[in-house]
Amino acid sequence: MKTKISELLNPLYKTNMGQEDNTEVTSYDKVMNIFESFVNMNNMSKDEFLEKVFVSAFKLIPEAEKGSFYELSGDKYIPIFTNGYDFKTLQKLVFNRSDAFIDYECSDVSNIDAYQIYIEKRDDTKFTKEVIETFKELGTYANFISLYAPVQVEGINVGLLSLECFNGTEFSKNSKKILKFYAQIISNFYSQKVFHDRETKMYDDIVTSLVSAIEVKDKYTEGHAQRVREYSCMIAKELGLTKTQMIDISTASLLHDIGKIGVPTEILNKPGKLTEDEYNIIKLHPIHTKTILDKISNFSNISNIAYSHHENYDGTGYPQGLKGDEIPFESQIIQVADAYDAMTSDRAYRKALSINEALEIIEKEMGKQFNAEIAKVAIRLFSK
Ligand SMILES: [Fe+2]
Ligand SMILES: [Fe+2]
């Protein structure tokens, strides 16, 4: 990558030769600013990213007058972004993969290249009236030169980037290198998106299958995980937690009781009162939860939040007996939501309490079992 950037910088130095001494620095800064704008591309939406690509590509490729980006969907190339063309008109120009003047695949992004093609004014007999009309509206019913490059993920074409020049000027060697570089950047963006989507789906599948595993075993907790998630997210949103905290709370609340897989079914589903020994076995479930979630990479925060869902604000909870701020704030939210759902659901050993009875208990336990700030928000939300 480094050599490519320096190759790209050379022509700018040359075009500025003979000007003031600091011009090179200015050009260098300009180019570096453009490259730096792509550093955070993981956090950008596709539209934001393509906008940046086109704005900066047009600054660096002087011959470019108009340009567009096509995404391959099935066997059709569909325009999804343009600079210079009327987008609505361009959208009429979906073309088949077999008609694309570029459709080769290569094994590595570094093999992606840019190509120049000379297009002669279209032959009226080869296109329908409508298509010719579209060409006229776009300004492509003319002789022009197109510089184009494929965008690929794992060697498979996913898109096409093209820039056009209508005044007869050929794209320079450097412009070709720059476009090649942009096609590689877009390819990387698409690859990251594919990996990210794949990873997210994998985690969703793991979470869903873990939750269904515990529900098969403990029939009284059916729907409990989903309800605790719903309540926890409501409280968290009301308290203004960050997006990252919200995501962690959502997953941790769904998985908080997963450790019950390690508790014998007879104890979990026992209709009568539990013996002290049996209760002590149930109290191990947050530890089992942690053991299971620690095995999933990137789940350490989620694991820690779920681990502390039975800690009480005053330190009387388990398994560690943490108190106050020692307990992760996210766990304190889940603890209130969990208690509320447990109280308002039928259990093997008792009938459900009414909403008012449950809220009275939460109020009574403010500052004791529950964080008062969270309890107040929960009472306000659940009494509606
Ligand atoms: Fe629990
Ligand atoms: Fe629970």
mmCIF file with all atom_site columns, all heavy atoms in Angstrom, residues 156-171:
data_model
loop_
_atom_site.group_PDB
_atom_site.id
_atom_site.type_symbol
_atom_site.label_atom_id
_atom_site.label_alt_id
_atom_site.label_comp_id
_atom_site.label_asym_id
_atom_site.label_entity_id
_atom_site.label_seq_id
_atom_site.pdbx_PDB_ins_code
_atom_site.Cartn_x
_atom_site.Cartn_y
_atom_site.Cartn_z
_atom_site.occupancy
_atom_site.B_iso_or_equiv
_atom_site.pdbx_formal_charge
_atom_site.auth_seq_id
_atom_site.auth_comp_id
_atom_site.auth_asym_id
_atom_site.auth_atom_id
_atom_site.pdbx_PDB_model_num
ATOM 1   N N   . ILE A 1 156 ? -14.598 -12.425 -6.325  1.00 0.00 ? 156 ILE A N   1
ATOM 2   C CA  . ILE A 1 156 ? -15.854 -12.448 -7.082  1.00 0.00 ? 156 ILE A CA  1
ATOM 3   C C   . ILE A 1 156 ? -16.292 -11.004 -7.324  1.00 0.00 ? 156 ILE A C   1
ATOM 4   O O   . ILE A 1 156 ? -16.281 -10.195 -6.392  1.00 0.00 ? 156 ILE A O   1
ATOM 5   C CB  . ILE A 1 156 ? -16.973 -13.161 -6.273  1.00 0.00 ? 156 ILE A CB  1
ATOM 6   C CG1 . ILE A 1 156 ? -16.504 -14.507 -5.742  1.00 0.00 ? 156 ILE A CG1 1
ATOM 7   C CG2 . ILE A 1 156 ? -18.274 -13.243 -7.085  1.00 0.00 ? 156 ILE A CG2 1
ATOM 8   C CD1 . ILE A 1 156 ? -16.601 -15.655 -6.678  1.00 0.00 ? 156 ILE A CD1 1
ATOM 9   N N   . ASN A 1 157 ? -16.693 -10.697 -8.568  1.00 0.00 ? 157 ASN A N   1
ATOM 10  C CA  . ASN A 1 157 ? -17.158 -9.341  -8.859  1.00 0.00 ? 157 ASN A CA  1
ATOM 11  C C   . ASN A 1 157 ? -18.414 -9.009  -8.070  1.00 0.00 ? 157 ASN A C   1
ATOM 12  O O   . ASN A 1 157 ? -19.356 -9.795  -8.031  1.00 0.00 ? 157 ASN A O   1
ATOM 13  C CB  . ASN A 1 157 ? -17.493 -9.208  -10.345 1.00 0.00 ? 157 ASN A CB  1
ATOM 14  C CG  . ASN A 1 157 ? -16.247 -9.023  -11.181 1.00 0.00 ? 157 ASN A CG  1
ATOM 15  O OD1 . ASN A 1 157 ? -15.143 -8.952  -10.643 1.00 0.00 ? 157 ASN A OD1 1
ATOM 16  N ND2 . ASN A 1 157 ? -16.412 -8.947  -12.480 1.00 0.00 ? 157 ASN A ND2 1
ATOM 17  N N   . VAL A 1 158 ? -18.421 -7.829  -7.439  1.00 0.00 ? 158 VAL A N   1
ATOM 18  C CA  . VAL A 1 158 ? -19.632 -7.365  -6.746  1.00 0.00 ? 158 VAL A CA  1
ATOM 19  C C   . VAL A 1 158 ? -20.054 -5.992  -7.260  1.00 0.00 ? 158 VAL A C   1
ATOM 20  O O   . VAL A 1 158 ? -21.141 -5.533  -6.964  1.00 0.00 ? 158 VAL A O   1
ATOM 21  C CB  . VAL A 1 158 ? -19.467 -7.308  -5.207  1.00 0.00 ? 158 VAL A CB  1
ATOM 22  C CG1 . VAL A 1 158 ? -19.225 -8.690  -4.632  1.00 0.00 ? 158 VAL A CG1 1
ATOM 23  C CG2 . VAL A 1 158 ? -18.366 -6.350  -4.801  1.00 0.00 ? 158 VAL A CG2 1
ATOM 24  N N   . GLY A 1 159 ? -19.163 -5.337  -8.014  1.00 0.00 ? 159 GLY A N   1
ATOM 25  C CA  . GLY A 1 159 ? -19.511 -4.006  -8.483  1.00 0.00 ? 159 GLY A CA  1
ATOM 26  C C   . GLY A 1 159 ? -18.583 -3.527  -9.571  1.00 0.00 ? 159 GLY A C   1
ATOM 27  O O   . GLY A 1 159 ? -17.621 -4.206  -9.952  1.00 0.00 ? 159 GLY A O   1
ATOM 28  N N   . LEU A 1 160 ? -18.892 -2.339  -10.062 1.00 0.00 ? 160 LEU A N   1
ATOM 29  C CA  . LEU A 1 160 ? -18.126 -1.749  -11.156 1.00 0.00 ? 160 LEU A CA  1
ATOM 30  C C   . LEU A 1 160 ? -18.071 -0.243  -10.963 1.00 0.00 ? 160 LEU A C   1
ATOM 31  O O   . LEU A 1 160 ? -19.086 0.394   -10.715 1.00 0.00 ? 160 LEU A O   1
ATOM 32  C CB  . LEU A 1 160 ? -18.837 -2.090  -12.473 1.00 0.00 ? 160 LEU A CB  1
ATOM 33  C CG  . LEU A 1 160 ? -18.327 -1.442  -13.747 1.00 0.00 ? 160 LEU A CG  1
ATOM 34  C CD1 . LEU A 1 160 ? -16.916 -1.923  -14.035 1.00 0.00 ? 160 LEU A CD1 1
ATOM 35  C CD2 . LEU A 1 160 ? -19.243 -1.819  -14.905 1.00 0.00 ? 160 LEU A CD2 1
ATOM 36  N N   . LEU A 1 161 ? -16.853 0.284   -11.050 1.00 0.00 ? 161 LEU A N   1
ATOM 37  C CA  . LEU A 1 161 ? -16.639 1.715   -10.869 1.00 0.00 ? 161 LEU A CA  1
ATOM 38  C C   . LEU A 1 161 ? -16.241 2.276   -12.226 1.00 0.00 ? 161 LEU A C   1
ATOM 39  O O   . LEU A 1 161 ? -15.350 1.724   -12.866 1.00 0.00 ? 161 LEU A O   1
ATOM 40  C CB  . LEU A 1 161 ? -15.499 1.886   -9.855  1.00 0.00 ? 161 LEU A CB  1
ATOM 41  C CG  . LEU A 1 161 ? -14.927 3.257   -9.569  1.00 0.00 ? 161 LEU A CG  1
ATOM 42  C CD1 . LEU A 1 161 ? -15.985 4.141   -8.932  1.00 0.00 ? 161 LEU A CD1 1
ATOM 43  C CD2 . LEU A 1 161 ? -13.724 3.122   -8.622  1.00 0.00 ? 161 LEU A CD2 1
ATOM 44  N N   . SER A 1 162 ? -16.910 3.340   -12.680 1.00 0.00 ? 162 SER A N   1
ATOM 45  C CA  . SER A 1 162 ? -16.478 3.882   -13.967 1.00 0.00 ? 162 SER A CA  1
ATOM 46  C C   . SER A 1 162 ? -16.527 5.404   -13.992 1.00 0.00 ? 162 SER A C   1
ATOM 47  O O   . SER A 1 162 ? -17.398 6.023   -13.384 1.00 0.00 ? 162 SER A O   1
ATOM 48  C CB  . SER A 1 162 ? -17.298 3.277   -15.115 1.00 0.00 ? 162 SER A CB  1
ATOM 49  O OG  . SER A 1 162 ? -18.485 3.992   -15.308 1.00 0.00 ? 162 SER A OG  1
ATOM 50  N N   . LEU A 1 163 ? -15.545 5.985   -14.683 1.00 0.00 ? 163 LEU A N   1
ATOM 51  C CA  . LEU A 1 163 ? -15.459 7.441   -14.829 1.00 0.00 ? 163 LEU A CA  1
ATOM 52  C C   . LEU A 1 163 ? -15.421 7.752   -16.324 1.00 0.00 ? 163 LEU A C   1
ATOM 53  O O   . LEU A 1 163 ? -14.815 7.000   -17.097 1.00 0.00 ? 163 LEU A O   1
ATOM 54  C CB  . LEU A 1 163 ? -14.168 7.975   -14.187 1.00 0.00 ? 163 LEU A CB  1
ATOM 55  C CG  . LEU A 1 163 ? -13.971 7.745   -12.697 1.00 0.00 ? 163 LEU A CG  1
ATOM 56  C CD1 . LEU A 1 163 ? -12.650 8.373   -12.254 1.00 0.00 ? 163 LEU A CD1 1
ATOM 57  C CD2 . LEU A 1 163 ? -15.115 8.313   -11.879 1.00 0.00 ? 163 LEU A CD2 1
ATOM 58  N N   . GLU A 1 164 ? -16.047 8.844   -16.717 1.00 0.00 ? 164 GLU A N   1
ATOM 59  C CA  . GLU A 1 164 ? -16.084 9.164   -18.133 1.00 0.00 ? 164 GLU A CA  1
ATOM 60  C C   . GLU A 1 164 ? -15.506 10.547  -18.446 1.00 0.00 ? 164 GLU A C   1
ATOM 61  O O   . GLU A 1 164 ? -15.623 11.470  -17.640 1.00 0.00 ? 164 GLU A O   1
ATOM 62  C CB  . GLU A 1 164 ? -17.526 9.115   -18.664 1.00 0.00 ? 164 GLU A CB  1
ATOM 63  C CG  . GLU A 1 164 ? -18.019 7.716   -18.987 1.00 0.00 ? 164 GLU A CG  1
ATOM 64  C CD  . GLU A 1 164 ? -18.452 6.950   -17.749 1.00 0.00 ? 164 GLU A CD  1
ATOM 65  O OE1 . GLU A 1 164 ? -19.205 7.504   -16.930 1.00 0.00 ? 164 GLU A OE1 1
ATOM 66  O OE2 . GLU A 1 164 ? -18.005 5.797   -17.585 1.00 0.00 ? 164 GLU A OE2 1
ATOM 67  N N   . CYS A 1 165 ? -14.913 10.613  -19.658 1.00 0.00 ? 165 CYS A N   1
ATOM 68  C CA  . CYS A 1 165 ? -14.405 11.887  -20.149 1.00 0.00 ? 165 CYS A CA  1
ATOM 69  C C   . CYS A 1 165 ? -14.952 12.071  -21.563 1.00 0.00 ? 165 CYS A C   1
ATOM 70  O O   . CYS A 1 165 ? -14.860 11.169  -22.394 1.00 0.00 ? 165 CYS A O   1
ATOM 71  C CB  . CYS A 1 165 ? -12.874 11.833  -20.157 1.00 0.00 ? 165 CYS A CB  1
ATOM 72  S SG  . CYS A 1 165 ? -12.176 13.286  -20.924 1.00 0.00 ? 165 CYS A SG  1
ATOM 73  N N   . PHE A 1 166 ? -15.545 13.248  -21.832 1.00 0.00 ? 166 PHE A N   1
ATOM 74  C CA  . PHE A 1 166 ? -16.232 13.461  -23.110 1.00 0.00 ? 166 PHE A CA  1
ATOM 75  C C   . PHE A 1 166 ? -15.483 14.415  -24.055 1.00 0.00 ? 166 PHE A C   1
ATOM 76  O O   . PHE A 1 166 ? -15.919 14.644  -25.161 1.00 0.00 ? 166 PHE A O   1
ATOM 77  C CB  . PHE A 1 166 ? -17.641 14.015  -22.855 1.00 0.00 ? 166 PHE A CB  1
ATOM 78  C CG  . PHE A 1 166 ? -18.504 13.057  -22.074 1.00 0.00 ? 166 PHE A CG  1
ATOM 79  C CD1 . PHE A 1 166 ? -18.519 13.090  -20.687 1.00 0.00 ? 166 PHE A CD1 1
ATOM 80  C CD2 . PHE A 1 166 ? -19.266 12.102  -22.724 1.00 0.00 ? 166 PHE A CD2 1
ATOM 81  C CE1 . PHE A 1 166 ? -19.297 12.192  -19.972 1.00 0.00 ? 166 PHE A CE1 1
ATOM 82  C CE2 . PHE A 1 166 ? -20.055 11.204  -22.016 1.00 0.00 ? 166 PHE A CE2 1
ATOM 83  C CZ  . PHE A 1 166 ? -20.057 11.250  -20.625 1.00 0.00 ? 166 PHE A CZ  1
ATOM 84  N N   . ASN A 1 167 ? -14.372 15.014  -23.560 1.00 0.00 ? 167 ASN A N   1
ATOM 85  C CA  . ASN A 1 167 ? -13.724 16.027  -24.408 1.00 0.00 ? 167 ASN A CA  1
ATOM 86  C C   . ASN A 1 167 ? -12.551 15.477  -25.219 1.00 0.00 ? 167 ASN A C   1
ATOM 87  O O   . ASN A 1 167 ? -11.731 16.227  -25.725 1.00 0.00 ? 167 ASN A O   1
ATOM 88  C CB  . ASN A 1 167 ? -13.290 17.227  -23.557 1.00 0.00 ? 167 ASN A CB  1
ATOM 89  C CG  . ASN A 1 167 ? -12.232 16.836  -22.530 1.00 0.00 ? 167 ASN A CG  1
ATOM 90  O OD1 . ASN A 1 167 ? -11.589 15.786  -22.657 1.00 0.00 ? 167 ASN A OD1 1
ATOM 91  N ND2 . ASN A 1 167 ? -12.051 17.655  -21.505 1.00 0.00 ? 167 ASN A ND2 1
ATOM 92  N N   . GLY A 1 168 ? -12.464 14.143  -25.302 1.00 0.00 ? 168 GLY A N   1
ATOM 93  C CA  . GLY A 1 168 ? -11.436 13.539  -26.144 1.00 0.00 ? 168 GLY A CA  1
ATOM 94  C C   . GLY A 1 168 ? -10.099 13.306  -25.448 1.00 0.00 ? 168 GLY A C   1
ATOM 95  O O   . GLY A 1 168 ? -9.221  12.663  -26.008 1.00 0.00 ? 168 GLY A O   1
ATOM 96  N N   . THR A 1 169 ? -9.947  13.796  -24.218 1.00 0.00 ? 169 THR A N   1
ATOM 97  C CA  . THR A 1 169 ? -8.680  13.590  -23.503 1.00 0.00 ? 169 THR A CA  1
ATOM 98  C C   . THR A 1 169 ? -8.602  12.153  -22.987 1.00 0.00 ? 169 THR A C   1
ATOM 99  O O   . THR A 1 169 ? -9.557  11.667  -22.394 1.00 0.00 ? 169 THR A O   1
ATOM 100 C CB  . THR A 1 169 ? -8.591  14.534  -22.275 1.00 0.00 ? 169 THR A CB  1
ATOM 101 O OG1 . THR A 1 169 ? -9.020  15.815  -22.676 1.00 0.00 ? 169 THR A OG1 1
ATOM 102 C CG2 . THR A 1 169 ? -7.188  14.579  -21.705 1.00 0.00 ? 169 THR A CG2 1
ATOM 103 N N   . GLU A 1 170 ? -7.468  11.533  -23.205 1.00 0.00 ? 170 GLU A N   1
ATOM 104 C CA  . GLU A 1 170 ? -7.285  10.177  -22.662 1.00 0.00 ? 170 GLU A CA  1
ATOM 105 C C   . GLU A 1 170 ? -6.956  10.261  -21.179 1.00 0.00 ? 170 GLU A C   1
ATOM 106 O O   . GLU A 1 170 ? -6.351  11.239  -20.734 1.00 0.00 ? 170 GLU A O   1
ATOM 107 C CB  . GLU A 1 170 ? -6.137  9.476   -23.375 1.00 0.00 ? 170 GLU A CB  1
ATOM 108 C CG  . GLU A 1 170 ? -6.523  8.957   -24.715 1.00 0.00 ? 170 GLU A CG  1
ATOM 109 C CD  . GLU A 1 170 ? -5.444  8.040   -25.280 1.00 0.00 ? 170 GLU A CD  1
ATOM 110 O OE1 . GLU A 1 170 ? -4.611  7.512   -24.497 1.00 0.00 ? 170 GLU A OE1 1
ATOM 111 O OE2 . GLU A 1 170 ? -5.433  7.868   -26.509 1.00 0.00 ? 170 GLU A OE2 1
ATOM 112 N N   . PHE A 1 171 ? -7.338  9.252   -20.423 1.00 0.00 ? 171 PHE A N   1
ATOM 113 C CA  . PHE A 1 171 ? -6.965  9.205   -19.001 1.00 0.00 ? 171 PHE A CA  1
ATOM 114 C C   . PHE A 1 171 ? -5.470  8.894   -18.924 1.00 0.00 ? 171 PHE A C   1
ATOM 115 O O   . PHE A 1 171 ? -4.978  8.006   -19.644 1.00 0.00 ? 171 PHE A O   1
ATOM 116 C CB  . PHE A 1 171 ? -7.755  8.119   -18.273 1.00 0.00 ? 171 PHE A CB  1
ATOM 117 C CG  . PHE A 1 171 ? -9.201  8.492   -18.037 1.00 0.00 ? 171 PHE A CG  1
ATOM 118 C CD1 . PHE A 1 171 ? -10.178 8.149   -18.970 1.00 0.00 ? 171 PHE A CD1 1
ATOM 119 C CD2 . PHE A 1 171 ? -9.576  9.202   -16.904 1.00 0.00 ? 171 PHE A CD2 1
ATOM 120 C CE1 . PHE A 1 171 ? -11.507 8.492   -18.763 1.00 0.00 ? 171 PHE A CE1 1
ATOM 121 C CE2 . PHE A 1 171 ? -10.906 9.554   -16.695 1.00 0.00 ? 171 PHE A CE2 1
ATOM 122 C CZ  . PHE A 1 171 ? -11.875 9.198   -17.618 1.00 0.00 ? 171 PHE A CZ  1
#
